[in-house]
Amino acid sequence: MRTVYLDNNATTRIAPEVLEAMLPFLGDSYGNPSSMHSFGGGVRRHIDRARGQVAALIGADAEEIIFTGSGTEGDNTAILSALKADPTRAHVVTTRVEHPAVLALGKQLEREGRRVFWLGVDAEGMLDPDEVRAAVRDCTGVVSVMYANNETGVVFPVEEVAAIAKACGCAFHTDAVQAVGKVPIDMRRSVIDYLALSGHKLHAPKGVGALYIRKGTKFNPLIVGGHQEMGRRGGTENVASIVGLGAACELAARTMEEERTRVKALRDRLERELLSRAPDTRLNGHPARRLPNTANISFEYVEGEAILLRLNELGICASSGSACTSGSLEPSHVLRAMGVPYTAAHGSVRFSLSRYTTDEEIDFAIERVPPIIRELRAISPFGRGPAK
Ligand code: PLP
């Protein structure tokens, strides 16, 4: 059975160019980049090259990039570093719709006695910078606002929010895990202090990421140990994955413009057709200020998980906006924060495309999804009655 992979916000396939760049470092080029000898030193040069490739994609300097083990690590490192830099500023401002990489840390900080202000979003999932302005105080140490939402694809006005944070003297971090490689980012024209990204969302391997730290920002490492990463992140480098991340960033820089347009056209077609072919559907998220690859659609009166199971039988991979916790289906915290009605939040499905998504795959999804919705509605526990 063919796989139609429309779950690229969960993870992406490794690009063939990326895999090829990595292979030598899983084979003969196994030197330790910290070694004095040239066998290790040769490997070090490839890490330096990768650092330059990551920096180039986001308009940063190479020395502003450290490699991490994940996007989650980058988020944790940035927020904790900012809080440690000025102990008199213990207050945190973030949003209700962050990924658990930030959300869970915020909750942990609250349990430890810190005050965290949780910003809301409007019905389109958009953040109002005025609410940030009202939330920051003299004692705010860090404002952490994601660049783009993983569930809806909504892109926040992060530059505006960063400027508000900086005007109040606090650090600004953005979780850009879903944005890097999909939309242009230029740190030269930005006041963002920290930006986290993750390899596996842009066709590099899982378990590698990078954190941008603006030059001059007071930094406190999360992981202490050896002198790796200029003393900013201990631990022998995951060389093959770092080289892969560099290659993926170079590929994204080269092809982003073209791919954005192509992928957006596919996404728009999928969205248009599903919204028009299946009644009682709605788009979740701002219609325009969104990542080009993400469509979050609610099919009312059906369970998103039931749709996913039926799609899975056809080889179509997608995600739902509800998660099974303790036997009940909980709608996602993002859709809840947007005030999406119960029957719509439960029936939400996220389709996320990539550079490898084809026209035929979108045709296949457009043909197969509406009949599944009709069948499921006929047996809906929401009591919708006969299928439309
Ligand atoms: N932040 C966002 C917005 C994400 O979508 C993800 C992954 O889904 C992460 C952070 C975590 O990244 P990683 O899986 O590399 O830890």
Side-chain angles (χ1 to χ4, degrees), residues 292-320:
N293 78 319
T294 309
N296 188 313
I297 297 176
S298 278
F299 302 94
E300 296 216 45
Y301 318 114
V302 253
E303 290 286 359
E305 303 229 329
I307 302 170
L308 291 192
L309 290 174
R310 296 299 307 278
L311 291 178
N312 186 49
E313 287 165 12
L314 298 169
I316 301 176
C317 307
S319 281
S320 88

Side-chain angles (χ1 to χ4, degrees), residues 21-222:
M22 292 172 65
L23 285 176
F25 305 95
L26 297 168
D28 291 342
S29 298
Y30 58 84
N32 186 326
S34 297
S35 296
M36 287 298 290
H37 46 70
S38 54
F39 188 61
V43 171
R44 163 137 302 280
R45 278 196 293 282
H46 288 272
I47 292 185
D48 292 342
R49 175 158 185 255
R51 202 183 306 283
Q53 289 166 316
V54 174
L57 178 61
I58 59 168
D61 286 342
E63 58 269 33
E64 293 177 308
I65 303 295
I66 63 165
F67 290 109
T68 61
S70 62
T72 302
E73 184 190 321
D75 288 331
N76 275 251
T77 304
I79 293 168
L80 295 173
S81 165
L83 289 175
K84 216 169 167 188
D86 186 351
T88 65
R89 286 173 164 264
H91 182 237
V92 178
V93 174
T94 188
T95 81
R96 293 187 189 286
V97 297
E98 298 294 313
H99 183 273
V102 171
L103 209 61
L105 178 62
K107 287 183 183 157
Q108 180 175 299
L109 291 170
E110 274 184 329
R111 284 195 297 276
E112 290 168 4
R114 285 182 195 268
R115 300 258 291 284
V116 178
F117 189 94
W118 299 96
L119 297 156
V121 291
D122 67 14
E124 291 184 329
M126 185 51 73
L127 178 74
D128 180 356
D130 282 340
E131 291 197 13
V132 182
R133 207 169 275 116
V136 285
R137 320 201 203 128
D138 289 346
C139 62
T140 305
V142 62
V143 176
S144 181
V145 168
M146 70 201 312
Y147 209 109
N149 188 272
N150 44 300
E151 292 190 26
T152 59
V154 170
V155 177
F156 282 159
V158 279
E159 290 301 345
E160 206 181 326
V161 174
I164 294 166
K166 299 310 295 170
C168 287
C170 43
F172 181 79
H173 164 62
T174 187
D175 171 349
V177 164
Q178 291 292 345
V180 172
K182 293 179 189 147
V183 291
I185 294 177
D186 187 356
M187 300 312 287
R188 283 168 301 222
R189 297 203 275 153
S190 166
V191 292
I192 293 169
D193 297 304
Y194 298 94
L195 178 148
L197 63 98
S198 174
H200 73 109
K201 310 291 184 180
L202 74 154
H203 305 289
K206 297 158 188 59
V208 67
L211 178 65
Y212 163 89
I213 307 155
R214 182 170 297 281
K215 220 175 284 172
T217 302
K218 243 176 157 181
F219 180 73
N220 297 287
L222 180 70

Side-chain angles (χ1 to χ4, degrees), residues 245-259:
L245 177 57
C249 287
E250 191 184 302
L251 182 66
R254 210 170 53 237
T255 59
M256 187 193 316
E257 215 35 64
E258 195 185 319
E259 283 302 325

